[in-house]
Structures are given as C-alpha cells and as structure tokens.
Amino acid sequence: MTTLPARRSGETTIRVVFVLTFLVTAFLIVTPLASLLYGSFQTGGPGAPSTFTLKNWGDLASRALVHTLFMTCFISVVTSVFSTAGGAAMAWLVYRSDFRYKRSLVAAVGLSFFFPGFILGMAWVILGSPGGVFNDILEHLFGPDVIRFDIYSATGIIWIQVLHILPFAFFTIRGPLISMDSSLEEAAYASGATPWQVVCRVTVPLMIFPVMSSLLLCFVLSVEQFAIPAMVGIPGHVHTLATELYLLTSFSPTNTGLAAAVGLSMSAVTGLSIFAQRRIVHRRMAPTVTGRGYRVRELSLGRWRWVATAACVFYVLMSFIIPALSLIYTSAIKFFVANPFEAAWTFRNYVQLWDNPGTLRAFWNTVLVAGGGAVLGLTLGVLVAYSTHRLKPRGHRALDILACLPFGIPGIVIGLGFLWSYVYLPIYGTLWVLVFCYVARFLPYATETVGAQVVQLDRALEEAAWASGANRIASFRRIVLPLLRPALQSGYFLLFIAYFREIAAAALLYTASTQVLSISIWAFFENANWGVASALSVITTIITVALMGAVMRAPLKL
Amino acid sequence: MGISVRNLVKRFGDKTIIDGISLDIADGELVSLLGPSGCGKTTTLRCIAGLETPEEGRIEIDGEVVFDSASGIMVEPYNRSIGMVFQSYAIWPHLTVFENVAFPLRVRRRPNAEVEQKVVRALEMVGLGAFRDRSSQQLSGGQQQRVAVARAIVHAPAVLLFDEPLSNLDAKLRDRTRAELRKLQRDLHVATVYVTHDQAEALSLSDRILVMSEGRILQQGTPEDIYHAPTDSFVADVVGAANFLAVEFRGQGLDGIRAVTRDGAPVRASTGSVPPGPGTIMIRPDKLRLEPAGPSQENRLPGTIRQRLFLGGHFEYLVEVGADTVRVISVVLMQEGAPVLVAFDAVDCVALAGAGAAVS
Ligand SMILES: Nc1ncnc2c1ncn2[C@@H]1O[C@H](COP(=O)(O)OP(=O)(O)O)[C@@H](O)[C@H]1O
Ligand SMILES: [Mg+2]
C-alpha cells in the first residue's frame, strides 16, 4: 500500500494567505534594505547616473565618521545607563516600596512616554539655549556669564534623551517585576533576611535579565534618535550617525551612497543589540507565577521617602510639565522673551496655523497617513502574527525574522532605504511612500501586540469552531478576530500614535505636497518661528495625549 | 453506520503516538477510550474529528470516508458530521450562551426560525433553558460543560466526540452529570466516542470499553467483561483496584486452573486460560475476605495485617501474604499486626500470564 500525502482543502487557503503575507512583508522590508546595499556601492544618488564603487565603504573609516560613531555610542551608552537606572528605580518604588504617590507617578511617567521626542527636544532648546529661559534665570540670579547652561552639546543631547527614554525603561522593567513570583522574596524574609538584604540578594539578581534587556533596548532607541540630536546637536556641532546620515542626504554636496553605508553600519549596531536583547528575553526573563495575585510586601522607605519623592517630582517637572509650559508660553507670545513679565501675549500663532493652507494640508496628510495607514499596518500585523504564532506553515520562521527586522533598523535608515528604492516606483512623491515606510518600520509594534494575544488564545476555541462546521475563514472572522479585539484596538492606536509623530523617516521622504505635522513643526522651528512651532506642538501633544488617555488606559494603570 | 477506524497511525516527529488502532462503533453505541494520561486517547479522538492528520489508516464517519491515507483523502473537520465536547469546553467568551449553541447552525446558514427552535431544544435537553441570554463568561464550570454539550448536539451530528468532559467538574457534580450524559446519549441514539482516564466513568457510561496503552488497544469488551475478565494485568489495573499474586501455574483442571504461590500454597482460578509456568492471579479487593488465623488451604492464604484505614463504610487493610501485599476491603474490625487468613473464591480469581503490578 503506497501512502499519498493527504490533501486538505483548508491547507490551500492557509497557503495562499501565507504566501501573500510573506510577499508583502518581504517587499516592504527587503526592498529598502537591498536598495541601501546597492546604493552603498554606487557613485550617484537614487535616480542619478552612477557606477559601481567601493569608495563609500572606504570613506566610512574617515576620521570624522569614526569620531561620529564613537560619539553616537558614547551618547547612547550614557543615555541607556541613566534611563534604565532611573526607570528601574521608579519601577521598584511603585511596585516594591511604600512610596506614597504610586498612581500619580505611573500616570506622569505615562504622559512623558507619549510626549513626542521632537517636541520635547524643541521645548528644551527654548529652555536651555544660550538666550533661553534657564540662562535668563541664571543670569538674574548670579549675574552675567557666571553659570551658563548650554543645551547645544553632547550633555544636552543626553539630558533630553534620558528624559525621553526613561519611561520606556520603566515600562520594560515593570512587567517582569509585577509578574515576578513574590513568594521568592517572601521566602527570603521568612529565612530572616532584612528588607535591604532581600533587595540586594533576591530582587536585583532576579531582575538582571529584564535590566539587561532594558539597557539594550534603550541603547537602540538612543542610537535611533534623530530629532533630538538634530535640533540640539547640529547647532552645537555634535553629530551622531543619524544626523550625519541626514546631513549627507539633505544638504549639498549630498552623498547618498555614503549615507547608505552609514545607514547600514548603524543598522548593524542596532540590529546586533536587538538580537542580543531577544536572546535574553527568550531565556526566561525572571521566574514568574501566573494567576496568583499576592500583594507583595512593601518595603518602608522611611527617611528616604522625601528623597524619592523629590527625585520623582524633579523628573516629572523636567520631562513633561516644564517643557509643556514653556511651549504653551512660547505659543502665546508675540516675540520670544525669556521673562514672561516682559512678554506681549497673543493668539496670533494659533490663528496663523488656521490660516496657513500648508499646515492644514499637513494636518490632513497626517490624519490620512496615521488613521488610514494604521489600518493597513494592523492588517499586515494580524496576518503576520497569526501566521507565525498559530498557523506555522513551512517558512513561518523566515516570516517571523523578517517581521522583526525593523526593530533593529533606525527610522532614518528605513527612510533612506525607501528613498533609494521608491524613486523608481510610480508612487514616489505620494503619501503612499510614507504609508509603506511606516507600515514597514512599525510592523513589529503590530506583530508583538497582536502576537502576544494570539499566543494566549486557546487553540481549542478555534478547533471548536471547525468541529461546529465553520471553515478556516469563517472561524477566523467569527471567532478569532472578535477574541483578538482588545489587541487590535491597542495595536491600532499604538500604530496611529507612532505614525502620527514619526519624524526621522519623514524627514527624508516628504515632499512639498506630502508634508506631515511633525515635519511642519520642525520646519517652523528651523525657520526660527518658535511661536507657530510651539502652537502646533501644543495641538499635536493634546491630540496624542488625549487619544492615548482615552484608549490605552492599560499602560497608565498601576 | 457510526464510526469505523482502520489501522490508524499518528506520529509527532519520530514518536509514534497512535500505533495501528482499529475500532468500530455502531449507531447509538457509546464506546469509551480508557487509559492512563498520555496514552493517545485525545489524539485518537482528534484524528476522528479531523483536527489531526494521521500518517496512515482509514476513517469512515456515517459511511463516508473522511480519511484514507491510501487515496490521499482528508476531509476537513468542518466538513465532517461531528459534534465535539472539548476538555476545556472551549466556550467562546464573546458570544452569549444562545449564540454559542447556535453557532453550528449559523455557519450552516439555517433560517432563523429553525435556529431558534433547535437551540432552545438543545438548551432544554441539557437543562439550561433559562440561561439562553446569559453571557458565557458568567457560567460555572458545570454550566459551561452543558453549553459545550448543547453546542455539540444542536445540529444533530452523525457522531459525538467527548474528550474527558467531566474531568473539570467536582466529584458530586461529576456523578450527577454522568447519569445525565448517559440518558442524553441514549435519547439521541448517536454513535459516541468518550475519552476518559476515569474507570468509574467508563464502567458506568459505556456500552463498550477500549482500554488503551501507548497508542494501542489492549482489550475491548463490555464493562462487565473488562472488569471481571481482564486478559492483561495492565487492563485489570486500569479498570479498577486489583491485587496481584505471583504464582506458578500447574495446569488446567476441570474446575479451573491450578497454581501454587511462591510459599507453596495452592490456589485455583476459574477465569482465564494460561499455559503452565510463572504467572499472576488477579483478585479485586472486595472479593477478598479476612478470616481468623488458621492452617493454609486452597484459596486460603495466611498473612499479617500491616495497615488499617478507616474509610467510613468499611475498612481497607493492607495484608502481607508471603512475598505479596494485597489490599482487602472489609467491614470486619481487626488489629494491625494480627495474623489472618486471606480467603477468596475461585470464580473471583483471574489467571493472567506475566507479572502483575505490585500493590503500593
Ligand atoms: N501536537 C503534539 N505534538 C507532539 N506531541 C504530542 C502532540 N499532541 C500530543 N502529543 C503527545 O502524544 C501523546 C499522547 O497524547 P494525548 O493523545 O493527548 O494523550 P491522552 O489524551 O491519552 O492523555 C503524549 O505523549 C503527548 O505528549
Ligand atoms: Mg487527553
């Protein structure tokens, strides 16, 4: 008796869906990377006559670029260490100590989390530039030129980035901390350990993997940062790889080939870090229990409570409240003066926004790209997550790796990749380029959010649908999708926010007709039109925070 | 026409989980798959449902070939006429009780009036008539189980498949539900496969029991057959508490098989046929009697009481008999350490080839 492989009609459906998903994903992610690789060996820019060369890769070793590489790593390592230390300390305060203002702190950190980086950067330029608010105050207090505060420096970049990235570390570390089996700590108390001994000998060693994971992620976030080093570093002649790439691409003499080589090197750094981080995550982050909601013993802070409170208040002031106030202030005065008592108040900045067709257009573009694009991004994310976590047909591992790649590729590099590849496509110069680029860049956001819930979904729920007579598509539509709804909602808004405030990729890809809000703000700012830039920032921030507050309560909860 | 399975083989990787199983189930018959956890019961059931693709074999449901490795046929689960109750019940949390039960009819695009009427009837059959508009998340375990059963029967499938449907219920509820399930299945008169590792469930529910071990069927028969005349010490152990005495068989007489224990005491068993040589005699604990110490005779073995447990209605004794330890259920009060005679009748003894499992 010879055995034939049994044919299943359902397999065909799966195969077709999987192959389509794979092709779209590969097209979105491989094309820009391949074009970058191609471009790094070309003498001319995209669309220009050009020949093969190795010069770009040779130029990478130039003193200036090596120095930039070191500067990027230095800034990122310091940023990462401070962000993780601060984030871990705050997570510990909230989840392991008797800190008084836990709810407020989590809410405040959440606010900072959603505060767009380029707006924070702009606010800090207003605050910390030589003619800015802080120096004005210092001058009044101590007289001219005694103490000065220069935001246009590596320290300035680090300062703003730490403020911006710290919430990320907080949210990375708090998950494992919450789900850590608290009986491990209780066993230590029962063995006679003092609270500090428990922290040092049990909590910290158990949290070592989550902390390492946070260090690597924050490092990557910092390397990827474009807007902050651009606003603060370029005037101060402190360059990072991201700003260097931007300068090489956008200011003559342009050298897109060299930019491609820089971008690929950057991706190598971030990609390796992400790879290491994933290895750590896969090696079980910390011993956990599920379903047991024991309240952990809270460690009494005693006299240190005031220090902890002061530090947290300081952080919240610096990362959100003061920058937000300074923007509101700047948006409401006629000409920038550091002293509010000398200011001439006005609404004209907001009125000007309304009267400016360019801004309205940018607003409309942003709504289209973020609102509509997120639908496409989420759809692809669902298909990828469902394929890699549930269907697992042949080739699903390749798809998984493919979909994870953008995690390790900085936004500005993907932007450059799209610049290189889409010049040749008819959609060049339309909003579609931005949409495609964002879908690719933020695909991991969608796949991670949806995937986490797909994994949780009891397989039997779907099998019960088949046993009841529903075919694959019907059971997916009637059972799987409704059960994934919470993940779909949060995934959609996560993507919406990400697309809404993305600036790095947009900086390379926008054209006059495809300008988006983030670019408009930046353009006003670069033209020294701080008032209008601030007004637009205030509006953008309100939209972002309101959306997140309304829909994504989860990250803000205790 | 029921279910017919021929030479089913299922592998996961290079592990063979189902190793050539064949079974036939007639319309209206309830057949249990009984065996220890991990022996492949669920996998067999899932192969019948079409949730797993077997490597080899042939499966027919209601006369229709739904799987045949020889001709490459594999009918998807949704095209088989089955109703299935999952171990976890798999109640869809986003649908009401009514919509959960209505689902099989909805995907078959039945008109609303028919859906309404059939769902109401199914819910009434499982005693959930009043729960139709409940959210399925407000149900207790027992109610979820009933919804799962209603969902499995609502579209009148040709076969019913149950995967340990009572294992998530507490003991009292389990006994009651067992009786209800039996009645339901009788009323529906549909071929049913019932997977369980609980011998009481299998014995009380089944028309026929298939005892499985490591992907094979060891023995099949009516509950009485399997319980009283197991052909294998593993089967004897799986379907109920069993004592095993190591003996040397001497040969078949007119009144049964004669044997001697390792201490030389004579034993006679009237069930089973085993060639002369070393073997085992199986006796159920309730068939052993404790008598005052005296001289050893046929089927009266001297022993010492090692442990006594009071279990309410009766005592359970562990008695050392020569090199073996046997479990005895008795209402007689005796002291630990006392010498006794363990007595039994030849009709209660089953002769088995090979060694038996030790009483722990
Ligand atoms: N999808 C699978 N992949 C690999 N092994 C499996 C899979 N499903 C079941 N098995 C293995 O098959 C064996 C039998 O499983 P199962 O049929 O669930 O046993 P039972 O229901 O009798 O407890 C077990 O050893 C189990 O580990
Ligand atoms: Mg099972």
Side-chain angles (χ1 to χ4, degrees):
Chain A
M1 182 170 90
T2 55
T3 39
L4 310 171
R7 287 183 310 272
R8 309 183 61 156
S9 55
E11 301 282 344
T12 321
T13 319
I14 293 174
R15 202 72 218 157
V16 170
V17 171
F18 178 73
V19 168
L20 285 178
T21 307
F22 197 105
L23 288 179
V24 171
T25 313
F27 176 73
L28 282 177
I29 289 164
V30 176
T31 324
L33 285 182
S35 333
L36 272 188
L37 195 59
Y38 167 80
S40 69
F41 290 107
Q42 295 296 313
T43 52
S50 142
T51 55
F52 178 85
T53 176
L54 286 174
K55 185 168 177 299
N56 294 324
W57 288 97
D59 286 352
L60 267 188
S62 72
R63 272 190 59 166
L65 275 177
V66 170
H67 182 255
T68 306
L69 175 69
F70 276 113
M71 183 52 93
T72 309
C73 288
F74 167 73
I75 289 177
S76 300
V77 167
V78 177
T79 301
S80 166
V81 168
F82 277 100
S83 306
T84 301
M90 284 189 192
W92 185 85
L93 279 180
V94 171
Y95 297 102
R96 285 296 189 273
S97 82
D98 65 346
F99 185 66
R100 287 260 178 81
Y101 314 102
K102 293 180 178 179
R103 273 169 206 287
S104 320
L105 182 58
V106 177
V109 172
L111 269 183
S112 312
F113 186 58
F114 298 126
F115 199 36
F118 65 94
I119 295 184
L120 181 70
M122 205 170 81
W124 270 100
V125 168
I126 294 171
L127 287 167
S129 61
V133 179
F134 278 12
N135 285 312
D136 199 55
I137 294 172
L138 289 174
E139 203 170 300
H140 274 86
L141 287 179
F142 303 108
D145 292 330
V146 180
I147 309 178
R148 296 207 58 83
F149 187 88
D150 186 12
I151 200 74
Y152 295 132
S153 62
T155 320
I157 297 178
I158 292 172
W159 169 244
I160 304 171
Q161 288 193 353
V162 168
L163 292 176
H164 180 55
I165 293 174
L166 187 144
F168 191 84
F170 175 85
F171 287 114
T172 308
I173 290 174
R174 83 163 187 165
L177 191 60
I178 292 173
S179 61
M180 189 172 99
D181 187 350
S182 58
S183 65
L184 296 171
E185 285 162 302
E186 283 158 5
Y189 284 117
S191 313
T194 64
W196 288 113
Q197 283 174 323
V198 172
V199 172
C200 300
R201 289 170 177 257
V202 180
T203 316
V204 169
L206 283 175
M207 292 304 291
I208 201 85
F209 283 127
V211 166
M212 276 164 61
S213 166
S214 163
L215 279 174
L216 285 164
L217 286 174
C218 292
F219 174 80
V220 169
L221 279 182
S222 170
V223 173
E224 285 191 10
Q225 273 304 323
F226 165 68
I228 294 171
M231 287 173 172
V232 173
I234 295 176
H237 302 288
V238 182
H239 297 298
T240 64
L241 288 175
T243 53
E244 193 68 57
L245 190 155
Y246 170 72
L247 294 176
L248 283 171
T249 316
S250 305
F251 293 92
S252 54
T254 61
N255 189 344
T256 0
L258 180 58
V262 169
L264 286 171
S265 324
M266 235 174 123
S267 304
V269 174
T270 50
L272 280 176
S273 310
I274 287 291
F275 180 72
Q277 188 266 344
R278 303 233 113 194
R279 292 294 295 266
I280 290 173
V281 171
H282 280 264
R283 283 182 48 184
R284 283 196 68 147
M285 299 273 285
T288 59
V289 277
T290 46
R292 283 204 295 161
Y294 288 137
R295 196 71 198 146
V296 187
R297 217 190 114 118
E298 292 182 342
L299 182 58
S300 173
L301 289 172
R303 276 178 302 151
W304 291 95
R305 165 170 303 133
W306 304 111
V307 180
T309 309
C312 291
V313 168
F314 179 73
Y315 171 75
V316 175
L317 284 177
M318 292 301 156
S319 69
F320 187 73
I321 294 178
I322 291 182
L325 287 178
S326 77
L327 287 173
I328 294 171
Y329 168 66
T330 313
S331 74
I333 55 176
K334 275 196 180 126
F335 307 100
F336 184 80
V337 283
N339 186 345
F341 297 105
E342 297 164 2
W345 300 85
T346 179
F347 266 122
R348 75 169 186 199
N349 292 322
Y350 289 92
V351 175
Q352 206 174 324
L353 281 183
W354 189 250
D355 290 342
N356 183 338
T359 314
L360 286 183
R361 171 148 202 145
F363 191 82
W364 179 234
N365 283 343
T366 309
V367 168
L368 271 183
V369 169
V375 173
L376 297 180
L378 187 68
T379 308
L380 186 62
V382 169
L383 289 174
V384 170
Y386 189 71
S387 300
T388 55
H389 290 293
R390 182 49 54 88
L391 299 179
K392 302 194 173 174
R394 211 154 14 95
H396 76 271
R397 267 175 222 289
L399 179 61
D400 193 29
I401 294 171
L402 211 54
C404 277
L405 275 183
F407 254 146
I409 308 173
I412 192 135
V413 178
I414 290 213
L416 185 62
F418 273 80
L419 195 65
W420 263 106
S421 46
Y422 283 59
V423 165
Y424 305 99
L425 295 181
I427 60 167
Y428 186 75
T430 69
L431 280 179
W432 285 108
V433 179
L434 282 183
V435 170
F436 283 14
C437 177
Y438 290 0
V439 168
R441 163 141 166 72
F442 297 109
L443 183 60
Y445 286 36
T447 56
E448 294 282 305
T449 314
V450 178
Q453 198 158 7
V454 170
V455 172
Q456 304 259 305
L457 202 66
D458 184 4
R459 209 172 264 272
L461 291 170
E462 211 178 332
E463 290 174 347
W466 302 339
S468 300
N471 65 24
R472 305 252 177 193
I473 291 172
S475 65
F476 184 78
R477 192 170 58 80
R478 303 178 73 139
I479 303 295
V480 178
L481 278 186
L483 290 176
L484 288 182
R485 215 175 96 177
L488 299 184
Q489 272 175 359
S490 37
Y492 180 81
F493 283 96
L494 210 59
L495 290 184
F496 185 93
I497 296 294
Y499 294 6
F500 194 83
R501 69 188 198 186
E502 170 64 20
I503 187 168
L508 295 187
L509 290 176
Y510 81 93
T511 59
S513 65
T514 64
Q515 186 146 332
V516 286
L517 274 186
S518 55
I519 296 296
S520 301
I521 293 176
W522 195 34
F524 283 125
F525 181 74
E526 292 290 289
N527 291 333
N529 202 341
W530 287 8
V532 180
S534 299
L536 203 48
S537 299
V538 169
I539 292 171
T540 306
T541 306
I542 290 174
I543 293 176
T544 315
V545 171
L547 269 179
M548 297 321 289
V551 186
M552 291 204 36
R553 287 261 165 81
L556 301 184
K557 263 192 286 196
L558 199 57
Chain B
M1 307 271 267
I3 304 170
S4 154
V5 175
R6 287 285 161 272
N7 302 322
L8 191 69
V9 174
K10 173 68 196 167
R11 297 187 196 97
F12 286 117
D14 51 4
K15 272 199 340 198
T16 302
I17 302 298
I18 304 296
D19 196 1
I21 278 184
S22 297
L23 53 91
D24 284 287
I25 302 173
D27 273 346
E29 194 183 22
L30 190 154
V31 171
S32 291
L33 296 182
L34 176 64
S37 165
C39 70
K41 306 179 298 288
T42 298
T43 307
T44 309
L45 199 74
R46 290 168 59 84
C47 286
I48 297 175
L51 297 172
E52 304 284 357
T53 308
E55 265 67 43
E56 283 168 40
R58 178 183 168 90
I59 303 174
E60 286 177 27
I61 291 179
D62 208 24
E64 184 201 347
V65 179
V66 291
F67 176 77
D68 187 8
S69 57
S71 46
I73 295 174
M74 169 72 195
V75 176
E76 291 287 345
Y78 40 85
N79 293 326
R80 302 183 180 195
S81 180
I82 54 170
M84 184 162 177
V85 177
F86 289 74
Q87 187 166 12
S88 62
Y89 307 139
I91 301 300
W92 300 304
H94 64 297
L95 299 179
T96 61
V97 167
F98 185 93
E99 284 305 325
N100 260 282
V101 177
F103 189 86
L105 302 170
R106 297 249 189 256
V107 295
R108 289 177 172 79
R109 302 187 194 288
R110 311 309 306 168
N112 275 338
E114 181 189 335
V115 171
E116 172 78 22
Q117 178 229 333
K118 286 190 169 165
V119 172
V120 167
R121 204 177 60 205
L123 282 175
E124 270 163 9
M125 284 182 88
V126 298
L128 282 183
F131 286 73
R132 51 171 289 169
D133 295 322
R134 273 295 172 91
S135 149
S136 55
Q137 281 165 304
Q138 303 164 352
L139 299 178
S140 69
Q143 291 162 343
Q144 287 191 24
Q145 192 262 354
R146 283 150 198 269
V147 174
V149 171
R151 184 176 69 190
I153 63 175
V154 72
H155 57 295
V159 305
L160 277 180
L161 308 172
F162 289 93
D163 189 0
E164 312 220 12
L166 306 182
S167 62
N168 288 330
L169 304 182
D170 61 54
K172 273 219 179 89
L173 191 57
R174 203 180 311 165
D175 292 347
R176 215 178 65 216
T177 316
R178 196 162 68 191
E180 288 171 6
L181 268 187
R182 182 62 178 143
K183 181 172 179 316
L184 187 76
Q185 193 265 343
R186 282 280 141 81
D187 293 347
L188 294 169
H189 198 74
V190 51
T192 303
V193 186
Y194 189 98
V195 162
T196 180
H197 70 270
D198 181 314
Q199 27 117 346
E201 246 170 78
L203 290 173
S204 59
L205 277 173
S206 321
D207 294 309
R208 207 144 43 89
I209 296 178
L210 307 183
V211 179
M212 283 185 65
S213 167
E214 296 180 353
R216 294 167 184 273
I217 293 177
L218 289 185
Q219 188 178 355
Q220 51 175 305
T222 63
E224 293 79 8
D225 269 356
I226 300 262
Y227 188 79
H228 292 302
T231 53
D232 184 285
S233 59
F234 182 88
V235 175
D237 204 36
V238 164
V239 292
N243 291 307
F244 298 103
L245 289 175
V247 297
E248 178 84 17
F249 288 110
R250 286 290 156 79
Q252 187 85 30
L254 279 178
D255 52 356
I257 305 179
R258 295 191 178 279
V260 291
T261 66
R262 271 179 274 179
D263 301 331
V267 182
R268 185 164 58 88
S270 49
T271 310
S273 71
V274 179
T280 311
I281 282 184
M282 191 284 293
I283 319 160
R284 301 283 174 201
D286 54 329
K287 301 297 185 191
L288 294 175
R289 297 184 302 275
L290 296 182
E291 297 179 354
S296 161
Q297 305 165 28
E298 186 184 81
N299 289 6
R300 271 189 169 61
L301 310 177
T304 311
I305 296 183
R306 283 287 160 235
Q307 196 182 48
R308 184 184 72 202
L309 297 173
F310 178 56
L311 296 179
H314 58 266
F315 296 99
E316 183 183 297
Y317 295 95
L318 284 185
V319 184
E320 208 174 272
V321 179
D324 294 310
T325 301
V326 295
R327 183 177 285 138
V328 182
I329 303 288
S330 169
V331 292
V332 184
L333 175 67
M334 296 199 137
Q335 296 306 318
E336 286 183 357
V340 287
L341 270 188
V342 176
F344 46 90
D345 300 329
V347 291
D348 296 322
C349 296
V350 181
L352 301 170
V359 172
S360 48

